[in-house]
Amino acid sequence: MTIQTQPPPVPHFVHAAPTKEELDWANLAAIDLSKASTPEGRKGLVKQVHDAIKNDGFLFVVNHGVKPEQISRMFDLSNYASEKVSDEEKRKYEGRMRETGTYRGYKLRKFWHIVGGVRDQIEQYNMNFREVLDGDHPAPLRPFLPEIDAFTRQIHSDIINTLLRLMALSLELDEEYFIQTHDFSANAETFLRFVKYFPRPQEEEEKAGGVWLKGHTDFMTLTLLFSQPVSALQILTKAGEWKWVRHVENGVLVNIGEAVEFLTGGYYKPTIHRVRQPPQDQQNIDRVGLLYFCSAHDDVVFKPIAESPVLQRAGMSESRILDGNCPTAGEYGKARVMAYGGTQPLKQGAQKGVDEEVVGGILLRHYN
């Protein structure tokens, strides 16, 4: 592939102003990652990370080493991937998630079924972390691949690896425990996502109850969501209340996924979250997003880490792995990607408004 040496100009994407509405905000911890630059500093952050993951499953990281102008540039490119790539080119690079079980390429609007015939209005472009430079991408994006690759490697090194070390220490493991199984050396469903949410017709909003993505948990190890001001993300607290996630300037929202639940025997559990229609003063505004999903290598088996003293003391909680056969990260990830957002009716769970299905031998719940 030929990569141009002088990329064309990219229009600057101007975010909307934060909402002025008084929403019921979640109270999430903010972790200062600059303190993790020394072994002593990392040890000081361990309890903060442990408590945030244990209590909320979500946390913000600040002072993470990524410059505001770098983040702004990636938001520009996220919008560029939606606005400056033709529909024909998007179809050419459309992902085949149902067939391949991997997020690569474009997920076009109306691919996922939400409820009652209403489909999503979300467009994504997904780039696997090992294939930014080596993979095939739409022509308009090719001049920017070197800087996208550099950004991906930086956030993996500065944010993901730091959090993996803190999480290992919180389990009283060697701080490098998770690093080698989450690096660039092997296949994994780790990827950078450019995403744009488009407003829906009011009739569809009413039919779907304002829900853009049902309540769910991510299947990966860690998700990074670069904060932006259009409020739409909500988390389900342990008290059963939906709370909005506040915008933090230059902050990165982090949540653990199901991989962490399986590897810790349920000691750490991911938090249900959903995307819904923004508040009144931000409706009819395009919401541009930037995310990074980090998964373990495909061959990592999802069984509890027996050598963790913390897990030995805590014991294992009830597992959602139904037949006792622990899948690998690759097996489970592919099953999740292939199954998500289909139109096949799901089983009504015991809890009202909760649908259930079995994917890859694991019980999943979807919160309407």
Side-chain angles (χ1 to χ4, degrees), residues 10-281:
V10 176
H12 178 54
F13 178 76
V14 179
H15 290 284
T19 181
K20 293 182 172 60
E21 294 190 25
E22 291 296 326
L23 303 179
D24 191 6
W25 300 107
N27 184 23
L28 300 178
I31 306 297
D32 184 349
L33 281 197
S34 67
K35 297 179 179 179
S37 60
T38 65
E40 295 77 14
R42 287 195 288 279
K43 289 179 181 177
L45 293 176
V46 168
K47 187 177 188 303
Q48 293 181 46
V49 170
H50 171 277
D51 292 349
I53 296 176
K54 191 73 172 169
N55 297 332
D56 300 313
F58 276 79
L59 56 90
F60 274 102
V61 295
V62 296
N63 297 326
H64 39 66
V66 186
K67 296 177 181 179
E69 54 266 30
Q70 292 177 279
I71 297 173
S72 177
R73 172 66 169 180
M74 287 300 127
F75 273 109
D76 293 348
L77 290 175
S78 181
N79 187 59
Y80 190 91
S82 178
E83 295 297 315
K84 300 300 181 180
V85 179
S86 69
D87 290 342
E88 180 182 3
E89 188 92 338
K90 288 175 184 176
R91 286 191 294 270
K92 178 181 176 182
Y93 289 92
E94 183 176 1
R96 299 179 60 83
M97 288 170 280
R98 298 272 185 257
E99 295 84 1
T100 64
T102 181
Y103 287 118
R104 284 178 173 86
Y106 277 97
K107 186 218 72 72
L108 302 180
R109 295 156 71 175
K110 299 187 177 183
F111 181 78
W112 290 326
H113 177 254
I114 306 302
V115 65
V118 177
R119 292 186 168 271
D120 75 278
Q121 290 291 346
I122 305 167
E123 185 174 89
Q124 304 170 351
Y125 187 65
N126 301 292
M127 289 169 281
N128 185 273
F129 70 152
R130 299 182 73 215
E131 299 177 354
V132 175
L133 290 180
D134 297 334
D136 190 17
H137 301 279
L141 296 181
R142 293 174 193 167
F144 311 104
L145 296 180
E147 62 180 300
I148 294 171
D149 181 71
F151 177 81
T152 300
R153 290 176 182 274
Q154 180 181 355
I155 61 176
H156 197 104
S157 175
D158 291 355
I159 302 179
I160 292 292
N161 284 350
T162 302
L163 290 168
L164 290 175
R165 290 187 175 101
L166 293 171
M167 192 164 65
L169 291 171
S170 79
L171 298 171
E172 297 179 16
L173 298 165
D174 183 276
E175 67 174 28
E176 300 298 307
Y177 185 89
F178 294 113
I179 299 298
Q180 290 186 348
T181 57
H182 290 79
D183 65 10
F184 283 65
S185 66
N187 288 325
E189 189 65 4
T190 293
F191 56 95
L192 184 73
R193 172 176 291 174
F194 294 154
V195 59
K196 190 166 187 174
Y197 293 76
F198 294 84
R200 286 191 312 210
Q202 186 58 31
E203 179 183 353
E204 292 188 359
E205 291 290 2
E206 293 173 358
K207 198 169 184 178
V211 174
W212 287 5
L213 278 181
K214 292 181 182 180
H216 65 283
T217 53
D218 297 341
F219 66 84
M220 304 84 170
T221 302
L222 294 172
T223 298
L224 306 182
L225 188 153
F226 289 81
S227 189
Q228 54 78 47
V230 179
S231 298
L233 180 65
Q234 294 182 322
I235 66 171
L236 186 63
T237 67
K238 286 182 168 59
E241 300 174 319
W242 288 107
K243 300 272 189 178
W244 294 82
V245 175
R246 190 189 302 271
H247 170 54
V248 173
E249 191 70 22
N250 297 319
V252 181
L253 183 67
V254 181
N255 65 279
I256 63 166
E258 293 162 353
V260 178
E261 175 185 355
F262 303 144
L263 291 171
T264 64
Y267 181 77
Y268 286 142
K269 287 186 171 67
T271 295
I272 301 291
H273 54 284
R274 72 180 181 184
V275 182
R276 61 156 298 124
Q277 185 182 31
Q280 186 68 39
D281 62 350

